[in-house]
Amino acid sequence: MNTSKYPWWLSEVVYQIYPRSFQDSNGDGIGDLPGIISRLDYLKDLGVTMLWLSPCFLSPMADNGYDISDYRAIAPEFGSMEDMDRLIAEAGKRSIKIMLDLVVNHSSDEHIWFQRALKDPEGPWGDYYIFRKTDRPLANWRSIFGGNVWEKAGDYYYYHTFHRKQPDLNWDNEKLREEVISIVRWWLDKGVSGFRVDAITFLKKEDFSRNYPPDGADGLANVGAFGQDVEGIGGYLTELKREAFDYKPCLTVAEAFGVKDENVAHYVGEDGYFDIIFDFKAADLDYAGEWYHRTSWTVKDWEDKIMHDQLRTQNYGWCANFIENHDQPRAASKYLKEYADRPEAVKTLGAMYFFLRGVPFIYQGQELGMVNFKRDHIGQFDDLSSIDVFQRGLAEGRSAEEMTGVLNLRSRDHGRTPYPWDKSRYGGFSDHKPWLEMTEEYPAINLKDQIQDPDSIYSFYKELICFRQKGKWKDCLRYGSIERYTSDNAGDSRGAGMDQVISYVRKYGDVKLYCWFNFSNRPVTVRLPCDVAAENEAELAEISWHTQDKVDIAGDVLCLRPWQSVVLRAGI
Ligand code: TEU
Ligand code: CA
């Protein structure tokens, strides 16, 4: 079939790097751009084709770079603009593209625009931000990192969705929008191939005069619950696409919490504001609203959330598929819980999301099956969100011990510990004490051991990437449609039920793939669909892909081993 009608970026496998924690090159305990350059051969070998770098621009680092004070400068701890140019060029030599993080809902309060705005809130720079002359906050909205969204500055208050050091930019101001467009074009001219667009659903603000029912002891209401995807946002985003992203070919992926189902059509697809968006319903299934409001989710709840996004998006475009990022705990710990250290379970987790419809993203360390750390007290955490949630938990009457437990499940630091290259002191990340403690697992989970072991999680990820890029079903995996699929349990009472299995079907032309992923420690017997048949071992080998020793089929019954993934092609 002719595949040239599909977007080029469906052939990408994106790898997210958190620059601070990937590789230190100059012994200051902080990862940097020369460090990334020194590891490009590794990334090439893994098979990824695009690198998304979390922000490495000039920043006071209140939120580790998500507070930018100059969009056209590199933070000195990460290197220089020459290093960035060299990274783009060296990656390019290896056919690896670079995607930058575009953080334009807010800037740093140390950005020159904000410094000027503070001096004259009524002047032209003041209008780059959102200032109001008032003696109290306009309403009771809680910012994402705690406290009222309105922060006092002299006779004025200014608005911040996130931390007070991250004042929101005023997208109603045409000059500000022109600045953003010119920043995007400037980086495209430098040779970057994509943007991950931060917190974009917050751009348009809800009516400031409206109070919401408080949802916490502080009397405030979480702005995330009502302040996203607000009517009118489309004007800004349409312009951003037309004037900035369409300037040169690039892949745009938006961090889009809170997009309403009926608006997905506006956000993705050929006429959408972006190419693809991240949906967070599956990623955040373990809590409701607050990290300390834990949920007891089931495999079926998880599958429902995944398939909801897959199916709503399929009508218009493609998904951005991920199980980890720099704001999330480690996927093995979150989804597999007490089985997080079982390589076969981690592999099935990888295969399940990798074969979904859309572009796969891998977060650094995920390919090693990294797990959450366990810390004993709040002083060991760096992430400002963790510290805020901890304090709010205490104010809600929870104990410090309980809240430390919550952070051990949810802190954003889990994904940010230095990359464990080997089992030496500081894991080959640095020869100096790193900015954030290593996870205590690093001697056991490190790249050097895994790269030498053909059965390791790393080797499995490499195989997964190769299978999607070059395997016999690559067109179906890249371009095929997706449907839910519920098989009949073949009724072996010793096994687990179908409720422990995630399954779906991918279809492209005359290729149809049934995919099953057993998320249980017990076997599951499945009645085979009638269009799957193999007379002998050789035919079975032709139509199957699986994890673990073999596909176990007897008659019309497939027995999934504990934590096994099986893909069967219909017909022969
Ligand atoms: O995240 C936006 C966001 O809403 C998350 O911070 C989410 O609320 C959080 O994971 C739960 O605590 C983006 C970035 O990914 C994040 O790292 C930044 O801190 C944030 O924007 C501000 O730029
Ligand atoms: Ca360094």
Side-chain angles (χ1 to χ4, degrees):
M1 270 168 75
N2 174 19
T3 56
S4 62
K5 63 177 175 183
Y6 294 104
W8 59 272
W9 40 259
L10 282 176
S11 304
E12 304 297 317
V13 175
V14 188
Y15 186 90
Q16 184 189 351
I17 291 183
Y18 198 66
R20 227 182 160 69
S21 302
F22 194 58
Q23 176 69 66
D24 177 21
S25 72
N26 61 347
D28 63 357
I30 300 175
D32 46 52
L33 299 180
I36 299 173
I37 296 171
S38 73
R39 294 298 187 176
L40 284 172
D41 287 332
Y42 159 71
L43 295 160
K44 177 75 188 164
D45 180 63
L46 178 58
V48 299
T49 62
M50 193 183 270
L51 305 178
W52 151 23
L53 308 183
S54 276
C56 36
F57 312 100
L58 195 67
S59 163
M61 302 285 164
D63 188 18
N64 287 349
Y66 282 89
D67 48 324
I68 297 172
S69 53
D70 185 345
Y71 291 90
R72 291 186 180 86
I74 301 298
E77 60 252 73
F78 293 150
S80 62
M81 192 56 80
E82 288 69 50
D83 293 327
M84 178 55 98
D85 290 336
R86 202 153 56 84
L87 172 58
I88 296 170
E90 287 298 319
K93 283 186 200 158
R94 294 162 176 84
S95 307
I96 295 177
K97 305 178 183 74
I98 299 291
M99 167 184 275
L100 296 182
D101 214 312
L102 185 66
V103 188
V104 289
N105 173 69
H106 46 270
S107 73
S108 162
D109 64 339
E110 297 185 26
H111 196 292
I112 183 77
W113 300 335
F114 193 75
Q115 290 302 311
R116 290 176 183 155
L118 274 181
K119 288 197 190 112
D120 182 14
E122 303 285 352
W125 301 103
D127 197 49
Y128 270 38
Y129 295 88
I130 302 168
F131 281 90
R132 291 289 182 276
K133 193 163 192 174
T134 164
D135 54 7
R136 70 178 75 101
L138 271 55
N140 69 335
W141 308 356
R142 182 188 312 106
S143 67
I144 303 289
F145 297 144
N148 199 296
V149 293
W150 293 99
E151 182 74 17
K152 193 168 167 50
D155 294 341
Y156 292 81
Y157 275 74
Y158 69 86
Y159 183 90
H160 60 92
T161 301
F162 293 89
H163 193 257
R164 63 187 159 71
K165 283 186 69 64
Q166 296 168 301
D168 281 44
L169 291 163
N170 175 18
W171 278 74
D172 280 335
N173 182 317
E174 197 185 331
K175 279 220 146 52
L176 178 272
R177 298 200 306 273
E178 280 168 9
E179 300 265 17
V180 174
I181 291 163
S182 99
I183 289 165
V184 170
R185 290 179 170 221
W186 192 82
W187 280 107
L188 285 171
D189 283 337
K190 268 196 175 289
V192 308
S193 309
F195 294 95
R196 176 268 189 186
V197 192
D198 188 69
I200 204 68
T201 42
F202 286 102
L203 240 49
K204 177 82 187 172
K205 314 306 177 206
E206 164 67 310
D207 176 359
F208 289 143
S209 65
R210 224 152 132 181
N211 278 300
Y212 279 84
D215 59 25
D218 56 6
L220 302 176
N222 176 9
V223 65
F226 50 82
Q228 302 191 71
D229 193 16
V230 169
E231 177 138 19
I233 193 170
Y236 309 148
L237 296 179
T238 305
E239 183 192 56
L240 186 64
K241 177 191 160 73
R242 192 186 58 228
E243 301 299 325
F245 301 143
D246 282 353
Y247 172 62
K248 284 196 176 164
C250 61
L251 167 61
T252 57
V253 51
E255 187 197 27
F257 283 89
V259 171
K260 301 171 183 98
D261 288 344
E262 63 271 25
N263 288 345
V264 170
H266 301 305
Y267 278 80
V268 300
E270 230 167 289
D271 302 321
Y273 317 133
F274 304 100
D275 293 316
I276 47 180
I277 62 174
F278 292 118
D279 175 69
F280 290 87
K281 285 179 211 67
D284 289 341
L285 88 174
D286 62 320
Y287 71 94
E290 295 284 357
W291 291 349
Y292 45 84
H293 293 153
R294 311 297 306 165
T295 61
S296 51
W297 56 274
T298 64
V299 173
K300 282 295 129 182
D301 297 334
W302 182 21
E303 183 182 57
D304 284 347
K305 289 177 195 296
I306 293 168
M307 292 312 294
H308 178 86
D309 182 40
Q310 290 280 309
L311 298 177
R312 75 173 190 171
T313 306
Q314 164 159 260
N315 299 323
Y316 316 102
W318 307 84
C319 287
N321 298 317
F322 73 102
I323 51 174
E324 283 186 17
N325 66 31
H326 65 293
D327 293 331
Q328 291 285 331
R330 290 294 178 178
S333 302
K334 177 169 63 189
Y335 295 115
L336 306 172
K337 299 176 193 163
E338 68 267 38
Y339 301 107
D341 60 355
R342 299 274 288 267
E344 65 276 28
V346 178
K347 290 176 187 176
T348 273
L349 175 58
M352 186 279 291
Y353 97 98
F354 220 81
F355 295 165
L356 290 169
R357 186 176 172 282
V359 180
F361 285 70
I362 300 171
Y363 180 70
Q364 65 179 51
Q366 178 190 321
E367 77 279 20
L368 306 179
M370 285 182 78
V371 294
N372 287 352
F373 54 68
K374 275 213 165 43
R375 302 212 157 147
D376 311 318
H377 61 89
I378 186 66
Q380 292 171 291
F381 290 87
D382 169 83
D383 162 35
L384 83 182
S385 179
S386 299
I387 295 162
D388 166 62
V389 171
F390 182 84
Q391 283 157 355
R392 282 193 297 115
L394 297 189
E396 302 281 342
R398 290 163 195 263
S399 69
E401 200 184 353
E402 185 187 346
M403 287 311 299
T404 307
V406 168
L407 297 191
N408 279 332
L409 292 169
R410 255 289 156 187
S411 171
R412 303 196 303 174
D413 285 344
H414 292 296
R416 301 177 180 188
T417 57
Y419 192 94
W421 296 97
D422 57 44
K423 52 159 91 64
S424 67
R425 192 166 180 226
Y426 308 137
F429 164 73
S430 178
D431 50 19
H432 183 275
K433 191 173 183 323
W435 70 277
L436 182 68
E437 249 178 274
M438 309 283 299
T439 148
E440 52 285 49
E441 269 79 17
Y442 82 89
I445 301 179
N446 71 80
L447 174 73
K448 197 167 173 208
D449 287 351
Q450 293 202 20
I451 220 163
Q452 290 156 0
D453 172 4
D455 288 330
S456 68
I457 294 166
Y458 167 81
S459 298
F460 178 75
Y461 262 88
K462 201 171 151 175
E463 190 188 311
L464 266 185
I465 295 169
C466 185
F467 190 62
R468 181 183 154 100
Q469 301 297 71
K470 302 185 186 138
K472 55 186 173 183
W473 298 324
K474 68 176 195 306
D475 287 346
C476 185
L477 293 174
R478 281 181 189 165
Y479 310 122
S481 63
I482 191 162
E483 279 167 34
R484 288 193 86 126
Y485 178 69
T486 317
S487 355
D488 290 332
N489 211 321
D492 182 335
S493 58
R494 291 162 307 161
M498 285 308 299
D499 57 350
Q500 301 300 306
V501 175
I502 291 183
S503 52
Y504 51 79
V505 178
R506 301 291 313 270
K507 250 193 236 168
Y508 182 73
D510 58 0
V511 177
K512 178 177 182 187
L513 304 174
Y514 289 94
C515 310
W516 292 271
F517 307 91
N518 182 3
F519 283 97
S520 120
N521 197 26
R522 291 192 294 162
V524 179
T525 52
V526 173
R527 182 88 50 210
L528 278 183
C530 47
D531 53 357
V532 172
E535 301 275 305
N536 54 51
E537 289 288 320
E539 281 172 355
L540 183 62
E542 187 55 31
I543 65 160
S544 72
W545 177 93
H546 59 277
T547 56
Q548 304 180 41
D549 347 329
K550 66 174 202 128
V551 187
D552 185 349
I553 290 182
D556 66 347
V557 174
L558 161 69
C559 180
L560 295 168
R561 292 154 192 256
W563 307 112
Q564 190 180 29
S565 309
V566 172
V567 178
L568 294 177
R569 187 193 158 150
I572 282 195

